[in-house]
Amino acid sequence: MSQPKIDRDELGLREGPLCREPWESYYILRRGILPCCYGNPIVAPMERWRETWNSSKLQEIRSYLSRGELSPYCRESLGCPIVQRVLAKERERQGTERATRPTWRRLINRLFFGLPARVYRKIFSRK
Amino acid sequence: MTTPAISFAAGWYDEEKNKQLAYRWMSSQAKLLITGLSPEKDYWLYFLAGHSFQSWKPTLTIKAQGKIVGQVEIEASFSSYAFCFPGGESVEVEFSLAQSQQVPGDPRELGIMVSDIQLLELSSLNKPCPLAGWYLPEQEGLSPAEPRGRWIKQRATLALPATPKEEVIIELILGHPFSIDNSPNMKLFVNNIEIRAENITGDRERYILVIPADSGQILQLELDRFFPFEVSGDSRSLGIFIHEINLYSPQKKGIVLGEGWYEEESSEFYPFNWMSKAATIFLSSHWLEKNRYFSFYAFSEYANLSQELKIYLADKEVDSFPLLHKWNFYSLDLQKYGLLPKTSRSGWRAIKFYLNKIFPTRFHPQDTRELGARFSWFSGHTDGELHQKTSEFHQNARLNYQEMMAGKTVLTSFPQNLGVDLYAQCNIKPPCVYCLWTEMKKLEGKYVHEVVDEKTLAEYGPFFTSARTLVNCSFGEPLLHPRLKEILEFCARFRKFIEISTNGQAFTSEIIDILVGKPIFLYISLDAACRETYAKIRNDNWDSIIPRLVELNEKRKKHHNLPKIYMVFMPMKVNRDDLEEYFKLCRRIEADALVLRPLLYLYEPKIEARRGGYHFVYKDELLPEEEIKEIIAECRKLSKKYKIPLANQFEFGQRQEPQAADYERSLVDFQRS
């Protein structure tokens, strides 16, 4: 008998954009308007709070996040723990990609050049 | 009019005492003389009786004025007995036993021990009163934390107070600690008419009875079995344990939670009640005369708005709406539902709540109850503007969620959290060593003198109305705002949660009085657990801060424990050794959580300061990732050790599933993401 399928996100906690802040939050501060508390730099001066909510900058941020990606603005907001986590994952992925370079490349290196792995890594990482 | 008096006539021995009560032995025959009675009324003779002969169950016959009014077997353990007899100016009551006992060395002829003889006249009772079938109050309840309850036998009676002009609600909290296989069936009768039957399975269950107006009534509790010694380990014939009996009069109580609600529990916000899938609320006619709107806070565990609350009035659905995630304020227009007070007499109107789905049991495996959603702070109001704004808030929250899930980039909805900048001046000069004060003041430019107060918030229009939480993010100390009281009262009127970060140096008795009782979440940034570390980060004012925090905590206890106190700790090199002491400090001031907040990451910062004999270099204070992980792990251990919930803001944006046992969970309920 098959087990009933469990909805792993039945509370709806994981669905939605990469970060919800630019939909759910908005900061009208003296130093300027921010789409989230970690936002950097400011997107508009304080007095423009009405029009900035749907400004092109916020639209762009929402557009990226709804696709599960960091916007260029988010990538500048390095104080944000979400950004830090995504960047750390990206770094990790890049590291893994290097570690698992294609077998043919490793074979060529061994046969023709006999270079130590660290030298080989340096050459390819420059590329 | 004379007061009834009871005097002991023939057949009673002198009073004796044991640890629990004072009593008299009677011989096989004994008499009481009762005077000062009204011939027009009926009376109940109540007493406790027992004896010290384990396997003996003598039959006691009670006669009043020569007529038998009752016969009952008396068991060894003290329990209550009650008999009704008609009044007269003077009544002689006779106690007679068919047998008596003799104890070696005691010349007396011993019958039974009798104690606490009382005369009850039902029309003069002002609270429910146990009659027959009750054992003595326990020294402790089923658990040491509970107040004293009483076991009843297989049958027991309870006299209800006279309520000739109003229907009352009786709340019975009862249960047993034994296996579910032994659960008895209980029938309840009022004046011999069966009103309901239940199987009692839990150790604490609530039963609500609406009792119509009458001048005197008897509630009978009848079980189909009792717990024998083999099950209970108790020589008494235990029926069920009565934890509490509460009576609610519509004149004195406006809102009573009916069945479907569990007992009140404490939480990170305010005491709350879990609702099961369906539940009833009773509103008194007096309350309905004064309130048009019924309001409450509700917490849904569902973040996708899929948990729906339906409102029924007399089995007719009158409203339904999705519950929002986490704690939110709700206001229901009772007039729109046609719920009007009963005009003829004082009584109750019931509204029923029904949830389309419950909180899945896999999230609370240790708690076997059927849990629906949490509710808190039931009250009424007449503020039409508050109701209107609350409706707008809910419409917006739903639209905001839909637009976000649809990936809309141009929004017709407004944000649910509004960051505000209340005040631009600070009382710490020079600024805290890590503060970006100079840079921020340059950025603020001409806006540094901009006044932001309650009028500004009102001008934000839908941005304010749509906000569930207002978050103050000023580079300045908000508690210094000259219109702090007005701002907080304005926010409280519209039931906004307010998050305020403070350096803790602005507290005065006046400011504390403004803060208490309001739904404010105070983030108090000390980052240090001792004078020395504090001086390295801020200044020498450490000694004046802690007494104010103690004062704040003491005062808020009288105001529903509001505001909430969140103690902020940003781990840095300078305070690395203060962590455990900071937890101790949190415990001392009974903080609601310790907030572990990252020092803002800056790319190659050039911030340095010499303070308190310490050279603070920002980039050196940013701890490496591995060390932060160690600190988080340490905090989790200390959180459990000191019973201080941990709010880990390093996990900002991570939407974790609820785990009831996890100490870190309760605190995130209020965090915005």
Side-chain angles (χ1 to χ4, degrees), chain B residues 213-285:
Chain B
D214 205 325
S215 55
Q217 302 183 83
I218 304 293
L219 177 70
Q220 295 152 271
L221 299 96
E222 206 172 296
L223 304 165
D224 65 349
R225 71 187 77 170
F226 65 90
F227 293 104
F229 177 79
E230 299 78 55
V231 174
S232 66
D234 193 312
S235 61
R236 297 174 295 175
S237 309
L238 300 182
I240 48 168
F241 192 80
I242 308 290
H243 295 272
E244 279 179 49
I245 304 164
N246 299 309
L247 180 133
Y248 301 115
S249 151
Q251 308 254 19
K252 293 177 187 159
K253 183 102 174 165
I255 302 167
V256 173
L257 298 185
E259 279 168 15
W261 298 97
Y262 298 102
E263 287 183 78
E264 192 173 278
E265 297 170 48
S266 61
S267 80
E268 73 290 348
F269 164 52
Y270 195 71
F272 71 90
N273 298 78
W274 273 107
M275 176 194 158
S276 54
K277 192 162 185 180
T280 308
I281 294 169
F282 293 97
L283 303 173
S284 84
S285 44

Side-chain angles (χ1 to χ4, degrees), chain B residues 77-297:
Chain B
S77 299
F78 265 104
S79 60
S80 68
Y81 300 87
F83 301 94
C84 185
F85 66 92
E89 278 184 14
S90 162
V91 175
E92 190 181 73
V93 178
E94 206 179 318
F95 287 55
S96 60
L97 296 163
Q99 304 161 290
S100 60
Q101 297 278 346
Q102 206 73 47
V103 176
D106 189 337
R108 297 177 297 177
E109 180 203 18
L110 297 179
I112 55 170
M113 297 183 277
V114 178
S115 172
D116 193 25
I117 302 172
Q118 291 179 41
L119 207 59
L120 305 172
E121 198 272 294
L122 298 196
S123 64
S124 61
L125 291 180
N126 55 14
K127 60 176 185 181
C129 188
L131 292 176
W134 298 70
Y135 288 110
L136 295 184
E138 300 294 309
Q139 288 305 310
E140 285 168 351
L142 289 179
S143 82
E146 289 174 7
R148 293 177 1 146
R150 290 177 82 163
W151 282 98
I152 60 166
K153 299 180 183 177
Q154 198 171 346
R155 284 182 187 80
T157 49
L158 179 76
L160 303 176
T163 54
K165 289 180 183 161
E166 59 178 23
E167 58 181 10
V168 293
I169 288 176
I170 302 280
E171 177 187 42
L172 287 172
I173 301 175
L174 49 82
H176 66 84
F178 307 118
S179 154
I180 197 166
D181 305 333
N182 297 304
S183 294
N185 293 308
M186 179 182 73
K187 284 183 178 175
L188 292 169
F189 302 83
V190 172
N191 290 352
N192 294 318
I193 298 165
E194 185 179 327
I195 54 167
R196 66 191 293 174
E198 298 285 345
N199 183 243
I200 311 297
T201 54
D203 64 355
R204 239 186 123 89
E205 294 177 8
R206 283 178 80 239
Y207 294 95
I208 298 291
L209 309 170
V210 180
I211 308 289
D214 205 325
S215 55
Q217 302 183 83
I218 304 293
L219 177 70
Q220 295 152 271
L221 299 96
E222 206 172 296
L223 304 165
D224 65 349
R225 71 187 77 170
F226 65 90
F227 293 104
F229 177 79
E230 299 78 55
V231 174
S232 66
D234 193 312
S235 61
R236 297 174 295 175
S237 309
L238 300 182
I240 48 168
F241 192 80
I242 308 290
H243 295 272
E244 279 179 49
I245 304 164
N246 299 309
L247 180 133
Y248 301 115
S249 151
Q251 308 254 19
K252 293 177 187 159
K253 183 102 174 165
I255 302 167
V256 173
L257 298 185
E259 279 168 15
W261 298 97
Y262 298 102
E263 287 183 78
E264 192 173 278
E265 297 170 48
S266 61
S267 80
E268 73 290 348
F269 164 52
Y270 195 71
F272 71 90
N273 298 78
W274 273 107
M275 176 194 158
S276 54
K277 192 162 185 180
T280 308
I281 294 169
F282 293 97
L283 303 173
S284 84
S285 44
H286 295 265
W287 185 92
L288 282 164
E289 279 165 18
K290 291 180 202 149
N291 297 284
R292 175 173 169 174
Y293 305 102
F294 178 51
S295 61
F296 52 85
Y297 286 85

